[in-house]
Amino acid sequence: MGEVRSLMAPLWMYLALGAFLFATGVVGVVSRRNPIVIFMCIELMLNSVNLTFLSLARFAPWLPVAHELEPKAWMGGPAAVIFVMAVAAAEVAVGLGIIMAIFRLRDEVDVDEMNLLRG
Amino acid sequence: MDPFALIWWIVLLPLGGALVQALFGGAVVRGLGPQNGKKVMGFLAVLPVALSFLLGVAVLQAHLEAGAGTERTVVLAPWIDLAALKVDFAARVDSLSLLMVLVVTGVGALIHLYATGYMAEDRDYTRFFTYMNLFVVCMLVLVTADNLPLLFVGWEGVGLCSYLLIGFWYRDLANAKAANKAFIVNRIGDWGFMLGMFLILVCIAASVPEAQTDGRWLDFGFILPRAATYLADRPEVATAIALLLFVGACGKSAQFPLYFWLPDAMAGPTPVSALIHAATMVTAGVYLVSRMHIFYVLSPVASAVVAAAGAFTALFAALVAFGQTDIKKVLAYSTVSQLGFMFIACGAGVYWAGMFHVATHAFFKALLFLGSGAVIYAMAHNQDLRNYGNLRKYLPITCWTMFLGYLAIAGVPPLAGFYSKEAILGGALASRHAAASVAVWAGWIGLVTAALTAAYMTRLTVLTFFSGEERWRRLQPAHAHDGHHGHGTEMAVHPEDHSHSAHAPHGHEDPHGFFYTDEELAARAEPEEHHHELDASHEPKEAPPSMTFPLVVLALLSVVGGWGLQHWAGLQEFLQYPGVQLLPKGTIQEHPHGVPLMALSIGAAALGILYGWIVYRRGLPAKEGFDESAWHPFRRWAGRQFGYDDLVVHTGVQGGDLVAKSLWKGFDAGVIDGIANGLGVLACGLGRGLKAIQTGFVRSYALLMLAGAVALLAYMVAVLTRIGGGN
Amino acid sequence: MEGIWGAGVAQLAPTQVGGPMLLFAVLAAVAVASGVGVVAFNSPVRSALCLIANFLSLALLYFTLGAEMLGIIQVVVYTGAIMVLFLFVLMLLNLAAPGALRESRDLRRLGAGALAAALFVLVVVQAVLPLQEAASPQAADYYGTPMALGRALFTEYVWPFELASVLLLVGIVGSILLAKRRV
């Protein structure tokens, strides 16, 4: 473990990377027309968030809580990552199912054509 | 039994009469048949008023025995009983109120008797007498009231009865509108009256120490003796009160600028015109000013206003009378003019002269109106002077009684009008009371008006009775000339149709079409009584005795009343007595500018009579015929009241209409509804605007979300940097 | 703030290029390039493959951070399951051919680019730059072990854990329902 520790870069680099990936994902979500690709960009965003969580968990000071717990770290970071992954999985499953259903109906997948909810 | 307690009997007997008429009249007429039933109800209508008169004489006797200078209050029941204000149903027995009581009941009884004949063919006979008796009650309450609120009750009551009686033939819309006009203009006067009353309450009550009175601020027994002490250092308050009360008097007594309801009130039956609009109700204003004389004594400015208004009204109305062709309208303007005289007297400080003229005017004006009613009755309800002529041959009693009345109003000695007019003019010319000697000017204007009065009355009398040609013989049977029917010629002509023959061009009295168009009105109006119409073959017949008897009595009174009241009854001393200031004494100028007053007044009367005789003795001049475009322009302008009525209607009615419409359309519908509806429109617009965002495009939504998130972050950054948490 | 984040005594200064820095640089480059590739490629299959590369590089980055468990989970769940699902669907829909969807150039892309840039700048300015001195990790070394993770999940974060399991159940049911053909 000791060796692993020394492979770290400073915090701000991780955060910058995460921010960049997030911004990239955002551009992709807005500009792509294929819903599957949109989903993939969403996954990109989620992953960047995961990275941010973890890096902050690693570097953040641990504030003591009422009950002393092992380990002495902000475990909210890794826990959040777990949950994000779970949510992402469920979301992908359901979302792709929806896209399949739409494809069966319309025989095309274009987000711009799916505007039945227009007001 | 205390004879003074009879005063309440005097007041309430006609009330009983009204109730009998109202409750039993219909049943009696139906049961006994129209002829006998009406006779019975007519008797029962005249009876209470006559009894009141007799009781009034009895009370007068008792009053004189006890001393003319006394005054006493007879309380019937308490009314308002608060800590701050106490008012009772209290009647006051003193010289002023007794004079008015006798005039009202005496002349009233004669007019009731006349009306039993005049209204004999009317199907609403008992309703008429209900209203007439009710009117007498209200007038008596007005003149016997011992405090201002009770006086105001009577004041309002006579206004109500005036409305009911003017609009008696209500099925004709024009009559209803005339009644409305009278009531509404009266209301304006009432506003002034009420403000004056409140001002008295506030100003005097505020300055009286609590212990000195028990809250009877509005009793005459309190105001009259004490007002002077409390207002001595505040003359402007007295002026204000006096002017406000005068506004009320203007409304009720038809002075300029609130006179214009009186000519339209001629739409009512002639007995109504005689009783209400000649003898009694219109004199209520004069009575009020005389009763509240203390305020006018304290305020020379207000007296000047009163005198000026009276003088102007007298002159104005006299000039307008020259342009009238309806006999009742001439008399109506004559009434307005004579009321102006009475106010000249009040403004000059000779209140007793004003009351004197009230009494004599009641005699001869009632006589003239009743006489004109007899003429109208005889001429198939045609009221146009231009259709009369040489009626002395057919209607002798009417002619000669009216002639006496005419002499009285013209001021020919020794008839009644001469004495009262001379008292007024003498008092005005000698007056030092009103500010800036306005009263003296008013007196000279009154002299000129006296001449004019003689002139137009001569015109009326000569054209009706004494001019040689019987002008109605000129009428075609198809009424080619008489173009002043109200609504269509195949229907019976109502007496009230002709009330506006001199008023407006035919068919367009109702340019706004209040509720009905002319065609609908024509379809609605039912022929009440079928009078045969005036045509060339008509033979006038004298009125029945029930109508001529009152004429004779009134003529007698017109002849001897003036001299009798002044010298034999000692009216001046009766109304002014040493010790107690009922009506302050004013001096009479015997020789203004060195000329004897009697010479001046007789000269004025003679001048007017001469003018009238010369111009009209040969009958209707060509320049005054049916073709109004041939008239002298001044006469035509006078005939339309110099445009005053049109002005008031235009600004008041139409102006009010305009204001109301603009408030309605502009403010209520525009602003308020606009706000309410606008909120809906706003919501719709907002929705429509926001709808543009709902494109249905997922990517647009995503973009918007992104934009929102960035904005939020930027805001947070900004805030955080500002509060120094940049790190 | 410096006090909490630890004195800025970095064991390795940022400017000093050493082993860890090089490793990070490589991994970051791969991640960036593949991220851009996901967005930029017209063909969805290529985007998917780029995404796989991105995930793998991120997993390695997690390893450098000391979160071994999560790195493994990233590889297994994300790349192994989610991306496989993506590719499966892509093949099923037969949209592999480029040109199947012409991406038009429109204003939205520019707007999106601008906003994303703004977002990036904001985050950097607000969060990244102030934390430049934070270089020493404060967490316990074994924070990324399964034991630590498990302990946290079952004590402190048990509620979200249970909810996440319910969510997964919902996802399962939902996807089965969606996949049913209405006959």
Side-chain angles (χ1 to χ4, degrees):
Chain A
M1 294 257 198
E3 291 175 20
V4 177
R5 191 212 298 208
S6 66
L7 288 175
M8 273 182 300
L11 170 64
W12 68 270
M13 288 191 177
Y14 288 103
L15 294 181
L17 177 63
F20 183 82
L21 287 177
F22 189 85
T24 310
V26 162
V27 173
V29 165
V30 180
S31 42
R32 296 299 298 252
R33 285 170 68 182
N34 192 329
I36 300 177
V37 177
I38 293 178
F39 258 109
M40 288 198 275
C41 296
I42 291 175
E43 293 305 321
L44 189 61
M45 287 160 70
L46 289 173
N47 271 282
S48 71
V49 167
N50 283 347
L51 179 64
T52 309
F53 267 125
L54 274 182
S55 53
L56 280 173
R58 187 67 168 118
F59 285 91
W62 172 68
L63 302 165
V65 291
H67 38 277
E68 289 270 317
L69 268 189
E70 299 275 355
K72 295 187 173 51
W74 178 53
M75 290 312 289
V81 172
I82 294 281
F83 298 135
V84 166
M85 285 190 192
V87 167
E91 165 205 18
V92 165
V94 173
L96 289 178
I98 291 175
I99 290 173
M100 295 278 294
I102 292 174
F103 183 76
R104 256 189 260 146
L105 198 62
R106 285 168 171 261
D107 211 21
E108 60 164 353
V109 248
D110 180 359
V111 147
D112 283 349
E113 295 294 321
M114 302 183 204
N115 60 355
L116 285 172
L117 279 180
R118 77 177 299 146
Chain B
M1 152 148 164
D2 177 15
F4 294 104
L6 287 173
I7 191 78
W8 277 108
W9 282 95
I10 296 175
V11 173
L12 294 176
L13 266 176
L15 183 63
L19 285 171
V20 163
Q21 293 285 325
L23 295 174
F24 304 115
V28 167
V29 168
R30 273 193 299 277
L32 293 179
Q35 289 278 57
N36 299 327
K38 285 184 183 172
K39 281 207 180 90
V40 170
M41 293 318 293
F43 174 74
L44 287 177
V46 178
L47 187 66
V49 187
L51 276 180
S52 289
F53 176 70
L54 293 172
L55 289 176
V57 172
V59 174
L60 177 69
Q61 287 242 345
H63 179 73
L64 288 173
E65 271 165 32
T70 53
E71 57 199 20
R72 51 178 54 79
T73 309
V74 180
V75 178
L76 183 67
W79 180 17
I80 301 175
D81 192 8
L82 307 170
L85 182 66
K86 286 191 192 9
V87 173
D88 294 335
F89 287 112
R92 186 181 180 85
V93 181
D94 66 8
S95 308
L96 182 59
S97 58
L98 279 179
L99 174 70
M100 289 300 294
V101 163
L102 288 173
V103 167
V104 169
T105 50
V107 176
L110 289 169
I111 295 178
H112 276 71
L113 178 59
Y114 178 94
T116 58
Y118 189 83
M119 303 295 289
E121 289 160 29
D122 198 297
R123 73 184 195 198
D124 286 326
Y125 191 80
T126 48
R127 180 162 71 94
F128 183 78
F129 283 109
T130 312
Y131 294 157
M132 289 285 271
N133 276 351
L134 191 64
F135 170 81
V136 174
V137 174
C138 295
M139 192 68 203
L140 288 173
V141 167
L142 199 160
V143 297
T144 56
D146 190 38
N147 47 57
L148 271 173
L150 193 59
L151 194 150
F152 192 60
V153 168
W155 188 273
E156 293 285 298
V158 296
L160 170 70
C161 295
S162 166
Y163 166 80
L164 290 170
L165 284 165
I166 295 173
F168 182 71
W169 289 310
Y170 57 87
R171 290 181 183 85
D172 185 343
L173 191 64
N175 297 342
K177 286 167 67 177
N180 269 351
K181 193 172 183 176
F183 194 81
I184 292 170
V185 178
N186 255 278
R187 215 70 190 110
I188 301 175
D190 294 347
W191 165 79
F193 184 108
M194 278 196 278
L195 285 181
M197 186 161 66
F198 297 154
L199 202 60
I200 292 177
L201 190 59
V202 166
C203 292
I204 299 187
S207 54
V208 172
E210 185 60 47
Q212 281 205 14
T213 176
D214 53 355
R216 297 186 178 283
W217 311 109
L218 293 173
D219 281 11
F220 295 149
F222 171 75
I223 295 175
L224 292 177
R226 311 261 199 96
T229 46
Y230 293 116
L231 291 178
D233 54 344
R234 292 185 290 173
E236 63 277 357
V237 173
T239 306
I241 296 173
L243 285 175
L244 285 168
L245 291 175
F246 182 61
V247 169
C250 275
K252 196 63 86 183
S253 294
Q255 295 301 289
F256 192 92
L258 295 175
Y259 77 93
F260 54 96
W261 61 270
L262 191 54
D264 283 38
M266 296 299 115
T270 308
V272 170
S273 308
L275 182 61
I276 297 185
H277 306 123
T280 44
M281 185 181 99
V282 293
T283 56
V286 184
Y287 169 77
L288 178 72
V289 170
S290 301
R291 181 60 89 186
M292 314 265 36
H293 63 88
I294 188 70
F295 296 108
Y296 298 91
V297 166
L298 286 172
S299 165
V301 172
S303 296
V305 170
V306 169
F312 179 77
T313 308
L315 187 63
F316 181 84
L319 287 173
V320 174
F322 278 102
Q324 303 301 318
T325 55
D326 182 334
I327 188 173
K328 282 179 74 174
K329 285 267 169 70
V330 176
L331 293 174
Y333 286 106
S334 168
T335 305
V336 175
S337 183
Q338 297 298 306
L339 287 167
F341 268 98
M342 297 177 211
F343 281 108
I344 293 177
C346 293
V350 275
Y351 302 94
W352 77 271
M355 294 310 295
F356 189 12
H357 201 57
V358 166
T360 56
H361 177 263
F363 300 149
F364 54 69
K365 195 43 75 61
L367 168 62
L368 286 168
F369 264 109
L370 296 184
S372 73
V375 169
I376 294 169
Y377 180 90
M379 297 299 286
H381 291 272
N382 186 298
Q383 294 178 224
D384 198 321
L385 275 177
R386 298 173 288 193
N387 285 330
Y388 297 165
N390 200 27
L391 286 177
R392 77 169 179 284
K393 181 167 134 204
Y394 300 94
L395 313 172
I397 307 179
T398 309
C399 167
W400 294 109
T401 49
M402 272 195 79
F403 183 71
L404 289 174
Y406 147 69
L407 289 181
I409 193 175
V412 172
L415 283 86
F418 164 73
Y419 287 102
S420 53
K421 252 190 229 186
E422 198 187 38
I424 292 176
L425 291 175
L429 291 170
S431 166
R432 287 193 215 298
H433 177 66
S437 61
V438 167
V440 179
W441 284 104
W444 288 110
I445 295 178
L447 198 60
V448 170
T449 312
L452 289 174
T453 307
Y456 67 71
M457 287 309 294
T458 311
R459 169 176 179 257
L460 183 141
T461 314
V462 168
L463 279 179
T464 308
F465 296 111
F466 293 105
S467 62
E469 185 203 347
E470 296 173 2
R471 287 188 294 281
W472 75 90
R473 304 278 179 213
R474 285 199 232 153
L475 288 175
Q476 312 290 344
H479 304 282
H481 290 294
D482 190 13
H484 292 278
H485 291 195
H487 316 282
T489 52
E490 54 272 39
M491 235 166 16
V493 175
H494 301 264
E496 63 275 20
D497 275 358
H498 301 277
S499 60
H500 43 267
S501 59
H503 183 63
H506 118 89
H508 287 290
E509 321 87 35
D510 187 16
H512 297 290
F514 265 104
F515 301 111
Y516 306 113
T517 61
D518 278 336
E519 292 76 24
E520 284 169 308
L521 272 176
R524 269 181 68 92
E526 311 150 19
E528 292 222 358
E529 303 95 29
H530 284 273
H531 305 292
H532 104 89
E533 295 174 5
L534 189 65
D535 62 6
S537 64
H538 183 77
E539 298 291 327
K541 284 211 187 39
E542 184 68 84
S546 58
M547 285 166 66
T548 52
F549 173 73
L551 289 177
V552 171
V553 173
L554 285 171
L556 215 64
L557 282 172
S558 302
V559 172
V560 304
W563 180 88
L565 279 175
Q566 178 141 9
H567 295 299
W568 171 68
L571 188 67
Q572 188 172 355
E573 291 74 29
F574 183 67
L575 289 175
Q576 310 168 292
Y577 31 80
V580 182
Q581 280 280 328
L582 177 58
L583 291 175
K585 206 172 173 60
T587 53
I588 306 257
Q589 169 88 285
E590 289 300 326
H591 294 270
H593 297 285
V595 181
L597 179 66
M598 204 183 293
L600 278 175
S601 54
I602 297 180
L607 207 65
I609 296 176
L610 206 61
Y611 169 80
W613 177 248
I614 292 177
V615 174
Y616 293 102
R617 73 188 150 110
R618 270 191 249 279
L620 193 66
K623 285 260 208 87
E624 281 187 49
F626 283 99
D627 180 15
E628 292 196 15
S629 55
W631 286 16
H632 189 281
F634 185 78
R635 188 181 298 278
R636 223 178 320 149
W637 198 31
R640 299 195 53 89
Q641 305 180 44
F642 299 108
Y644 179 73
D645 190 42
D646 300 328
L647 177 73
V648 169
V649 167
H650 207 72
T651 53
V653 174
Q654 291 170 7
D657 207 34
L658 198 71
V659 169
K661 274 214 178 81
S662 67
L663 274 180
W664 165 41
K665 292 219 172 91
F667 187 67
D668 190 41
V671 174
I672 296 184
D673 280 359
I675 293 178
N677 294 341
L679 286 175
V681 168
L682 187 69
C684 280
L686 212 61
R688 224 173 289 129
L690 289 176
K691 202 173 72 158
I693 305 178
Q694 299 267 329
T695 53
F697 286 133
V698 175
R699 291 200 285 145
S700 307
Y701 293 166
L703 185 63
L704 277 173
M705 282 168 65
L706 176 63
V710 171
L712 200 60
L713 266 179
Y715 175 70
M716 280 170 59
V717 168
V719 166
L720 284 174
T721 27
R722 222 172 334 125
I723 63 176
N727 301 328
Chain C
M1 200 58 180
E2 287 90 337
I4 306 181
W5 286 90
V9 181
Q11 293 192 317
L12 286 147
T15 49
Q16 195 174 351
V17 179
M21 286 308 300
L22 193 61
L23 180 64
F24 180 83
V26 168
L27 288 172
V30 172
V32 165
S34 54
V36 173
V38 169
V39 175
F41 275 120
N42 266 337
S43 159
V45 175
R46 292 201 186 154
S47 297
L49 293 174
C50 283
L51 194 59
I52 291 174
N54 189 50
F55 288 168
L56 287 174
S57 63
L58 278 181
L60 288 172
L61 278 172
Y62 294 169
F63 275 115
T64 65
L65 275 173
E68 296 92 3
M69 173 81 174
L70 285 166
I72 305 256
I73 291 179
Q74 167 94 351
V75 172
V76 169
V77 171
Y78 257 112
T79 28
I82 291 177
M83 288 320 297
V84 166
L85 190 57
F86 265 113
L87 283 167
F88 204 76
V89 171
L90 276 173
M91 296 305 173
L92 209 61
L93 295 186
N94 214 9
L95 294 173
L101 280 175
R102 277 272 157 241
E103 306 279 352
S104 57
R105 289 183 192 280
D106 55 341
L107 212 60
R108 276 188 280 241
R109 286 189 138 185
L110 250 86
L115 283 170
L119 187 64
F120 179 69
V121 165
L122 273 173
V123 171
V124 163
V125 160
Q126 186 60 23
V128 176
L129 291 178
L131 292 174
Q132 271 185 317
E133 292 82 23
S136 59
Q138 311 273 315
D141 284 345
Y142 51 92
Y143 85 108
T145 55
M147 178 191 78
L149 198 58
R151 178 168 280 160
L153 279 180
F154 283 102
T155 53
E156 187 89 28
Y157 299 100
V158 66
W159 276 111
F161 178 75
E162 298 298 332
L163 283 174
S165 57
V166 171
L167 178 74
L168 285 170
L169 179 66
V170 168
I172 293 171
V173 173
S175 52
I176 292 175
L177 273 176
L178 280 168
K180 277 173 78 133
R181 237 180 235 277
R182 302 245 173 113
V183 180

